[in-house]
Amino acid sequence: MRWNHPVLGVISPSVFIPVLESNGYITKLDQYIWEEVCKTIRVWIDEGIRPIPIAVNVTKTDVLAINVAEFFSDMLKKYRIPPKYLDIDIAKSTYLETHGALSETEAQLQQMGFRVILDGFDGNFVELSALGGIGTDQLKLDLRSAALQDRINALPGIFAQARTLRLNLMAEGIESTEQLNVLRKAGCAEGQGYVFSRPLSVDEFAKILKVGHSG
């Protein structure tokens, strides 16, 4: 999500998202984004473009304010898209702060066929178990977290433990080839970050999908 301001230019979400979170409008924005993603996936399918899964964020405010599972169920019906094309990213803080309200929502989303991902994992498997995050479909290991800053040597052990626990682990915040090389050697098969691409507009991203599809 980027705000393309007519005077100030492109504004990072780190600037305006906290404001929306503090005044309660974040859920309205989230619902708008969720529907725009579903609508875009429908357009890609109709144009013969094979989509890849797009991740959307669900916040603590969303879980407490609306029936998240019902909203996504309605989107599947409205835009006739398979749930495999939509990943639901839920921040670790949401697991901490919803006091169990999230567990039912998570189960409902998984039953509908969505992949639920715990975002912001820092490699602490004990905390993960206490949060109830073991039941998620995937964990996003945040390389930018305080626990992992300048600790690239810890990555092989974290991935080894994830395999032992049969947890699906990906990396986010990959910003250097050094990190990428260590992750590959550690057995990381999926990742995201600036080392692959800067943020793109929908049209730019669709062009990449078209090239990949034709290739």
Side-chain angles (χ1 to χ4, degrees):
M1 179 64 187
R2 297 293 183 275
W3 179 9
N4 193 5
H5 193 281
V7 176
L8 302 177
V10 179
I11 300 175
S12 167
S14 63
V15 174
F16 63 88
I17 291 297
V19 178
L20 297 175
E21 289 176 333
S22 65
N23 63 24
Y25 282 101
I26 189 64
T27 296
K28 290 184 179 294
L29 175 62
D30 285 343
Q31 288 175 295
Y32 169 78
I33 293 298
W34 298 342
E35 182 156 8
E36 284 298 303
V37 170
C38 292
K39 188 187 302 183
T40 300
I41 291 172
R42 180 70 259 166
V43 169
W44 289 342
I45 293 173
D46 291 343
E47 292 180 352
I49 301 172
R50 186 183 300 113
I52 63 171
I54 302 297
V56 295
N57 295 99
V58 171
T59 69
K60 173 193 72 173
T61 306
D62 299 328
V63 173
L64 297 177
I66 64 172
N67 188 325
V68 173
E70 182 178 0
F71 184 92
F72 281 106
S73 177
D74 291 342
M75 291 297 99
L76 292 185
K77 295 171 185 174
K78 182 175 181 179
Y79 293 103
R80 298 172 289 111
I81 60 173
K84 67 180 180 180
Y85 291 136
L86 203 63
D87 288 345
I88 312 296
D89 271 22
I90 303 177
K92 185 180 73 171
S93 59
T94 303
Y95 285 81
L96 283 168
E97 298 169 6
T98 54
H99 307 293
L102 176 59
S103 58
E104 184 178 353
T105 298
E106 182 182 65
Q108 290 173 338
L109 290 167
Q110 289 174 318
Q111 287 170 5
M112 284 188 280
F114 292 108
R115 188 169 69 151
V116 177
I117 300 171
L118 187 147
D119 198 359
F121 180 55
D122 62 5
N124 188 332
F125 289 95
V126 175
E127 180 188 50
L128 176 68
S129 180
L131 290 175
I134 294 292
T136 58
D137 298 294
Q138 189 173 50
L139 307 172
K140 276 189 177 179
L141 183 67
D142 187 357
L143 303 185
R144 300 158 299 186
S145 67
L148 292 175
Q149 282 292 333
D150 303 319
R151 292 187 60 230
I152 195 170
N153 59 311
L155 297 178
I158 293 172
F159 276 87
Q161 189 167 0
R163 286 192 293 273
T164 300
L165 297 172
R166 297 184 179 180
L167 295 173
N168 186 7
L169 185 61
M170 71 169 289
E172 66 174 336
I174 308 173
E175 298 181 352
S176 71
T177 53
E178 180 188 8
Q179 289 176 322
L180 184 60
N181 291 334
V182 171
L183 288 165
R184 283 173 170 163
K185 290 178 181 178
C188 179
E190 190 174 352
Q192 65 184 61
Y194 283 178
V195 74
F196 300 111
S197 174
R198 295 283 171 172
L200 300 173
S201 69
V202 175
D203 290 340
E204 289 173 318
F205 187 69
K207 289 177 182 178
I208 293 175
L209 287 181
K210 289 178 182 178
V211 171
H213 182 56
S214 62

